Amino acid sequence: MKNKITLLLLIFSSFIGRAQQQEDYTIAILGDKLIPETDQILVQLKEEIKSVVGQSANIVFKDSFILLNDLNLEKAKDNYEKMLQSPDVDLILSFGSVNNYVIAKNKVFPKPVILFGVINDDFITFPEGQFSSNIPNLTYILTPKSYKRDLLQFKEIFPFKKIGIIVDDYLTKIHPVKKTLDEIFKTIEAEYVLITINQANDIDGKLESLDAVYLSGGLFFSKDEQARLVNKINERKLPSFTSIDDHFSDYGILLTSQPINNLDQFFRRIALNIESAVHGDNLAQLPIYMDIEAKLSLNIETAFQINFPIKYSFLLRTNIVGNANQISFQKQYSLHEVMEQVLDQNLNLKAEQKNIELASQELKFSKSEYLPDLSTSISGAYLDPELAKISNGSNPEYSTSGNIKFEQLIFSEQASANIKIQTELKKATKENYNSKEKDAILNAGVAYYNALIAKANFLINNENLRVTRQNYEIAQQKYDAGQTGKSDVLRWKSELAMATQNIVNSYTQLNQSFNELNQILNNPIGLKIDVLNEDFKNPGDKDDFKFFNMLDDPFLREKFTRIVEGKAIENAHELKSLQHNISASKRSAMLYQRSKFLPTIGLQGQYNHTFSRGGEGTKYPTGFAGAPDGYYNVGVQVSLPIFQKNQRNINRQKSFIQRDQLNIQRDDAIVSIKRNINDIILSIVSQFSNIELSKVSTEAAKESLELMQVSYSNGAIGITSLIDSQQAYFQAQQQQANADYNFQLSILQLERIMSYFFTLHSEEENQIFINQVRKQIVQN
């Protein structure tokens, strides 16, 4: 024990001795202007520098040596001079365009200087093959930021023709921004408009002629001002791109290009450069370029808001951010609105409505047999004069005459039967239409819930993509810290690609479901719609839920089923249509039986008049009277068919066969109704329990995933366990969504069989219906 204490004392003394030998090394920090995250960033930077350099020197940061120029060139120059003249400052760390512009103009650097920050390599050029500053005591840290790279990438995604380039006004005073952009646009087939800003309102009136915006200004604006700037762009529905800071994506910039885990890499690179300076290494030979992997983010909410045409191939290599639930739409539908519109606008129903109109015309046609038939004719004749001469005045050479003919059917068994048959067929056609109407409502409801399921899957896949990206970044951080191998990073990169592919597929399915709904509603296929799920937010308050909730009691279920069967059979339009066809068939059989004994009676009358007579043959012989110019006749016709080749008997037998066939079809329809009701009721009972179980499963899977993420971050579990946990969570989410909507679909199907849709009736009507069923259950 004594030896261990002695060893500890020796180790402690060696640490004290080493600490006493370390010299202070003071670092001055020059910046352009405060941003909201400045304090937090400085804390992280100081900790990283001390962690890396702490073994070589005692790093000192003083508040008096942290100076800002507020974007003023003279102040930037004064700050730099003060730090050069201060004997306490050993190294100058400079951030920002203004500071770097002022400092880089110097040719000699008495103290070590590291230039870092918003340095666009379009403005700093080095000879080809030069990878260090080659200037004593000076080094840069150049990131891949470049107007040219950003604009080319933006052009690949969206083929803009005239783009606005928004930059801070101060930047144009220190860098040849316009000259640089002129050179860049010699290789880009587009025009640009340079817009300089000091505040968000400076872009007012300057976006009208543009079709896209590249944002490279506003970094030092307040958060509210930055948000206002982005809102002004989005209000014009202009696609936008930036690479200055990823929090612009949160404000609604469409596309953001930012390095992955940039702060950690940047801070480590700064710390290593400072360590080299402490050791006395020549900064002139340090590498100036910093290779980092950039990520491109798409704000899906903004894409929906501005109706941005998303390329699926582009989605595969993009991080999706924003609220995917904020789908842009021109019209948003509830289930009730879908049902109402399908009744009014569905093309199939409109076509079916024409069948009713045709049946009405057929009925009118059959009744028209008992309407009078009145016709008239006028004629003129010329006869051979020689023939007319010997006609004794009965056929003159020239004559004109006319007549009026009247016919009226008094009684016909065929006509009377046809009126009755057509009346029944019209009723059958109406019932067929009612059936098609209910089918259309069901199909619209199915399309509505399919769209809800597709939307839920899209949002679930979006959440899966977010969590997968989060896990990928955790793996990347662990790899950077040496806590895991490259295989974990690659595995999560593969998972990220699959998650992105899944969201592309689910987005396609969502649009397809909207197209289907648009077709059913007779909307333009391209109309942007959305579906609301208000009906399932509080299912216990819905009338149909109260009605079908009776199924939860096994003692009432059988009675409920029998009563619903009775309601369905009573209301079934298919059965009513068949019954009308059966009645028509009966009347047809009666026709062929009664037509043996019942005659057809008709009344006929005709009036003739001669208007003129001339030429030869106009005179009657002496002693003969000529016919009057006008005369009429009236008659009654009675006909009774005695034998018609046995066709009456054959037709009568055919009507009997048709009636038997219709009766069989009716019996089959009743059996099908009962079978469907029993199947759907069993499905509803099963799905009702699935809803509750899926909620429990989803909550448990989510909690498990959160615990697994913490354990994976701490190295307690491997990647396989975390992937399995994540997959279990999202499968549980999909099962819960499917359980909810499948339950609603089953209820909708049972309502169709009953021919009673709760959504289309008032609360009072629904309550009366429910009370009737409950009363019948009690009575039985």
Side-chain angles (χ1 to χ4, degrees), residues 145-162:
K145 290 184 181 295
S146 163
Y147 289 158
K148 185 174 183 178
R149 277 192 293 269
D150 288 350
L151 289 167
L152 287 174
Q153 186 177 27
F154 193 14
K155 180 74 171 178
E156 180 186 359
I157 298 167
F158 179 73
F160 54 81
K161 299 297 183 184
K162 188 174 184 181

Side-chain angles (χ1 to χ4, degrees), residues 89 105 134 279 342 463 501 532 712:
V89 173
K105 291 174 67 175
N134 294 337
H279 290 161
V342 79
E463 174 69 7
Q501 181 63 58
L532 292 169
Y712 179 72

Side-chain angles (χ1 to χ4, degrees), residues 636-661:
V636 175
Q637 182 180 4
V638 178
S639 65
L640 180 64
I642 298 173
F643 184 77
Q644 292 181 318
K645 307 176 184 179
N646 199 34
Q647 290 178 353
R648 271 185 311 203
N649 186 51
I650 294 171
N651 287 331
R652 185 164 175 262
Q653 294 302 318
K654 284 172 61 178
S655 66
F656 287 153
I657 295 171
Q658 289 172 348
R659 186 171 61 189
D660 291 342
Q661 183 185 43

Side-chain angles (χ1 to χ4, degrees), residues 519-537:
Q519 179 188 4
I520 291 173
L521 298 176
N522 193 23
N523 288 331
I525 294 298
L527 180 70
K528 294 186 178 298
I529 61 173
D530 189 22
V531 285
L532 292 169
N533 194 23
E534 294 176 349
D535 297 328
F536 205 72
K537 289 180 180 177

